[in-house]
Amino acid sequence: LALPLAMGVSAPVATRLKLAGVTDETLLWALIGASSTGKTTCLKLSASAWGKPSGDGIIDNLTGTEKYFFASLANREGYPNYFDETSAVAWDFTKAIYTVALSREGGRCNTDGTPKKRKTWSGAVIFTGETSLFHRTNGNGGLHARLIEFDFSWFSDDKQPDKISRFVSQNYGTAWLQLVSYLQSVTDVELCESYDNCNTELRKAIALKNGFDEDTWETKKFTGIQSRIIRKLATLLLSIDLMLKAWDIALDRSIVMQHLLSVYEYNASRIDKVDEFYESFVQYITRHRNEFPQVNRAGFNISTQTNAKGFQDKHKNRNCVWVLATEFEAQLLKHGLDASPNVLKELHRRNIIERF
């Protein structure tokens, strides 16, 4: 239960990290799972640190318009925002996830054509839902770097949720005082150093779990999206450490780390392989840019240039890199893909390749 509590704590922590220049994203957490897994009870527990959870409390739902949803975020700058049961609406969450994470609403114009001032926010948004929000998106890999889902059965005892719900209905809105007071005593330098330590700790734990040892774990490579997931979890781990000190709570931190590792595996394993391949391949091209000499004329015949690794030309007003088929297939295989027609069609559909 430290995890949902820390999700609420992560809101002011994220705002502090934003002011310190570490990150500029709003955190998105989602408790998902079938009915009676305890996700709504965990949401109430997390919200109770800040105010009355239910009824006319701070837990909202998404039955209003999207415009109302984003306006409510702007009204709670630096505080956690709680939304129960995303299953109640039929939104395409692709735009919503990106917009919330980018911390400002989409641009609109006044009737005279001048741009309206955009609403901005920071902090954290915590959802619950019976199904993954990613099922109602376009599947972009970048979404997984912005929204972290938690799929747990939170209670082993059926009586615990009712006990907690009754307790928080009578005890709420006081814990944030100690937290904010403690956060004010932590300097930006101390906060950033603690965040870096949490990031390193998670990367090491993941590497060790993947078969690396104490001497080689730093050689473990992470894709960009995987690294961004780790940074989100590092903020959550930092929030746990801060709330333990602020609220003087004793907790077995190793158990928390085990849960965070399972959260990482759950989210990182669902990253779209195509997006993972593309991000890695762009990095590969960048590292080998000298092996792709510039060609200043259009319409050249690649078949007459077999001695070169590849060529670079302008195609549809963008830089294109020509790569030999064998090399391209090798890069696909590294990410569990192949050069089958279906994969190539998908790469073409996403505008990653033009021809093969």
Side-chain angles (χ1 to χ4, degrees):
L1 299 182
L3 295 182
L5 278 170
M7 291 175 197
V9 174
S10 70
V13 173
T15 302
R16 282 288 306 275
L17 290 173
K18 180 179 180 180
L19 293 172
V22 175
T23 179
D24 57 1
E25 284 192 24
T26 295
L27 299 172
L28 287 92
W29 314 112
L31 308 174
I32 62 168
S35 180
S36 302
T37 54
K39 55 188 183 298
T40 298
T41 302
C42 287
L43 196 72
K44 292 178 181 177
L45 177 64
S46 182
S48 68
W50 302 92
K52 184 180 180 182
S54 305
D56 57 349
I58 60 176
I59 294 179
D60 207 338
N61 55 56
L62 298 180
T63 55
T65 64
E66 289 190 53
K67 185 177 180 180
Y68 169 81
F69 168 68
F70 291 118
S72 67
L73 297 184
N75 290 336
R76 294 181 58 81
E77 177 84 18
Y79 284 87
N81 295 266
Y82 298 94
F83 295 94
D84 197 18
E85 288 301 344
T86 57
S87 308
V89 293
W91 293 4
D92 177 351
F93 277 94
T94 301
K95 182 179 178 181
I97 290 173
Y98 278 121
T99 303
V100 173
L102 293 173
S103 304
R104 62 178 182 176
E105 68 175 347
R108 299 200 306 273
C109 289
N110 297 303
T111 54
D112 61 358
T114 58
K116 282 187 175 181
K117 184 178 180 180
R118 290 183 173 185
K119 292 184 174 66
T120 61
W121 51 80
S122 65
V125 181
I126 303 100
F127 297 105
T128 72
E130 294 198 5
T131 59
S132 171
L133 269 67
F134 295 119
H135 293 168
R136 287 182 281 168
T137 67
N138 62 11
N140 285 348
L143 293 167
H144 293 267
R146 291 175 166 85
L147 171 70
I148 308 298
E149 292 189 330
F150 296 74
D151 186 7
F152 289 119
S153 290
W154 295 91
F155 301 98
S156 58
D157 182 351
D158 292 341
K159 296 180 180 179
Q160 283 182 306
D162 290 338
K163 289 180 180 179
I164 290 177
S165 294
R166 285 197 300 270
F167 182 80
V168 300
S169 68
Q170 301 298 323
N171 301 273
Y172 53 80
T174 57
W176 67 271
L177 291 169
Q178 295 95 322
L179 175 69
V180 172
S181 176
Y182 181 77
L183 281 176
Q184 288 177 328
S185 70
V186 179
T187 67
D188 284 351
V189 173
E190 292 171 334
L191 192 72
C192 293
E193 183 178 350
S194 298
Y195 169 79
D196 291 339
N197 291 338
C198 289
N199 199 340
T200 301
E201 184 178 357
L202 280 166
R203 295 173 78 93
K204 180 178 180 180
I206 294 167
L208 294 177
K209 195 169 184 179
N210 281 271
F212 290 77
D213 54 38
E214 290 284 345
D215 296 327
T216 63
W217 74 265
E218 291 182 281
T219 63
K220 164 70 175 171
K221 301 296 183 183
F222 295 95
T223 66
I225 294 177
Q226 289 170 336
S227 294
R228 289 166 66 186
I229 291 175
I230 292 172
R231 289 199 290 270
K232 297 290 192 306
L233 294 178
T235 306
L236 191 62
L237 181 58
L238 172 61
S239 300
I240 291 172
D241 289 339
L242 291 170
M243 80 177 192
L244 293 179
K245 294 176 181 177
W247 295 340
D248 194 20
I249 300 175
L251 186 69
D252 187 343
R253 199 168 178 277
S254 63
I255 296 178
V256 174
M257 281 296 296
Q258 291 175 20
H259 287 314
L260 289 177
L261 291 179
S262 68
V263 172
Y264 170 80
E265 290 178 358
Y266 177 81
N267 286 270
S269 65
R270 300 160 70 224
I271 296 172
D272 189 331
K273 288 183 178 180
V274 171
D275 285 288
E276 184 179 335
F277 156 75
Y278 177 67
E279 186 166 349
S280 175
F281 191 54
V282 169
Q283 293 174 3
Y284 172 83
I285 291 171
T286 302
R287 290 195 302 270
H288 297 269
R289 64 172 66 250
N290 293 332
E291 299 172 27
F292 299 91
Q294 183 79 27
V295 174
N296 293 318
R297 61 186 176 85
F300 64 87
N301 184 358
I302 193 171
S303 64
T304 64
Q305 309 286 348
T306 55
N307 293 327
K309 278 279 188 180
F311 306 89
Q312 198 169 34
D313 197 10
K314 288 288 184 181
H315 181 73
K316 291 187 177 180
N317 297 318
R318 68 175 186 177
N319 285 320
C320 274
V321 177
W322 294 81
V323 187
L324 295 180
T326 52
E327 186 176 11
F328 188 65
E329 289 178 6
Q331 295 297 320
L332 285 170
L333 289 172
K334 287 182 179 180
H335 296 275
L337 299 170
D338 55 32
S340 64
N342 286 339
V343 172
L344 297 177
K345 286 179 182 177
E346 180 63 15
L347 294 172
H348 178 75
R349 186 185 71 81
R350 299 197 192 189
N351 205 28
I352 293 172
I353 63 171
E354 178 60 26
R355 60 174 66 94
F356 183 80

